[in-house]
Amino acid sequence: KVPVESCFPILRDIVFSGKIKFDPSKNNFPVTLHDPCNVVRQMGIVKPQREILQYLAPQFREMTPHGVDNYCCGGGSGFAIMNGLNFGDFRNKISARKKWSQILNAFQDTVEDPNVIKYICAPCSNCKGTMRDILEYFEATEKFNVQYSGLVELIVNAMVDINVPFFEFLEE
């Protein structure tokens, strides 16, 4: 057995250490969290990422269900990059539908307003790839202004020392 460790507890400690100054209002748009299977179900790390989001994203809201009960995005174990033999179509029609339903539910109060940025925090690179594919498949960025990226990106965007928005979708 090889011990497995996550960066989320370390990131939480950095964020709350007081060594870096943050302005949570820089992330003042609806944010929901996709729980990566490997981090949440395999390693049991549920709280640190939420503590960060509750502090740095004033409009954070949970998916239903969330934590260990959250649905897989379909990208786990490297499936995010598998597209041969119509696997991508299968993924989009099965797992993406369920994840898209969760996303819509999390943003139900703002989903119809394309002027409101909606952010999916996907803290795993496989999950990011799948979120990209889901948003493309449902034309979600164009229609509903649904964006995606990770947890570290939200941390950087909230740093007081960063004078311009980290995210391109925040640039005017």
Side-chain angles (χ1 to χ4, degrees), residues 2 67 148 154 171:
V2 176
Y148 76 97
L154 282 170
E171 295 176 0

Side-chain angles (χ1 to χ4, degrees), residues 8 11-12 15-16 22-25 27-36 46-63 66 70 107 119-123 149-156 158 167:
F8 295 149
L11 287 172
R12 180 202 48 217
V15 166
F16 288 102
F22 295 101
D23 178 1
S25 72
N27 290 330
N28 195 15
F29 42 84
V31 173
T32 194
L33 174 65
H34 166 69
D35 290 294
V46 177
K47 291 184 181 179
Q49 57 272 35
R50 284 173 168 74
E51 292 169 356
I52 294 168
L53 288 172
Q54 288 164 352
Y55 175 53
L56 294 181
Q59 295 188 54
F60 172 64
R61 69 272 312 273
E62 292 280 11
M63 287 187 186
H66 58 270
N70 199 353
F107 295 129
Y119 184 91
I120 304 164
C121 179
S149 201
L151 182 63
V152 172
E153 291 86 340
L154 282 170
I155 293 170
V156 170
F167 299 114

Side-chain angles (χ1 to χ4, degrees), residues 4-143:
V4 180
E5 194 170 331
S6 169
C7 65
F8 295 149
I10 297 167
L11 287 172
R12 180 202 48 217
D13 294 346
I14 291 169
V15 166
F16 288 102
S17 71
K19 294 179 181 178
I20 301 172
K21 301 298 179 214
F22 295 101
D23 178 1
S25 72
K26 293 168 82 174
N27 290 330
N28 195 15
F29 42 84
V31 173
T32 194
L33 174 65
H34 166 69
D35 290 294
C37 296
N38 64 332
V39 174
V40 176
R41 281 193 277 281
Q42 179 183 348
M43 292 189 273
I45 299 170
V46 177
K47 291 184 181 179
Q49 57 272 35
R50 284 173 168 74
E51 292 169 356
I52 294 168
L53 288 172
Q54 288 164 352
Y55 175 53
L56 294 181
Q59 295 188 54
F60 172 64
R61 69 272 312 273
E62 292 280 11
M63 287 187 186
T64 303
H66 58 270
V68 297
D69 296 321
N70 199 353
Y71 297 112
C72 177
C73 65
S77 300
F79 286 142
I81 60 170
M82 293 178 61
N83 291 308
L85 302 173
N86 79 348
F87 189 80
D89 291 336
F90 171 78
R91 186 178 53 243
N92 284 334
K93 291 177 181 170
I94 305 300
S95 62
R97 286 179 46 216
K98 193 62 177 177
K99 184 50 62 179
W100 178 236
S101 176
Q102 275 193 294
I103 293 165
L104 287 174
N105 185 48
F107 295 129
Q108 64 186 331
D109 59 329
T110 60
V111 75
E112 295 293 331
D113 188 348
N115 296 313
V116 176
I117 296 163
K118 293 155 279 289
Y119 184 91
I120 304 164
C121 179
C124 160
S125 60
N126 279 327
C127 297
K128 281 182 192 173
T130 302
M131 290 302 154
R132 177 198 62 229
D133 293 346
I134 289 171
L135 296 185
E136 285 176 9
Y137 183 76
F138 290 102
E139 300 176 353
T141 302
E142 297 80 21
K143 291 179 180 176

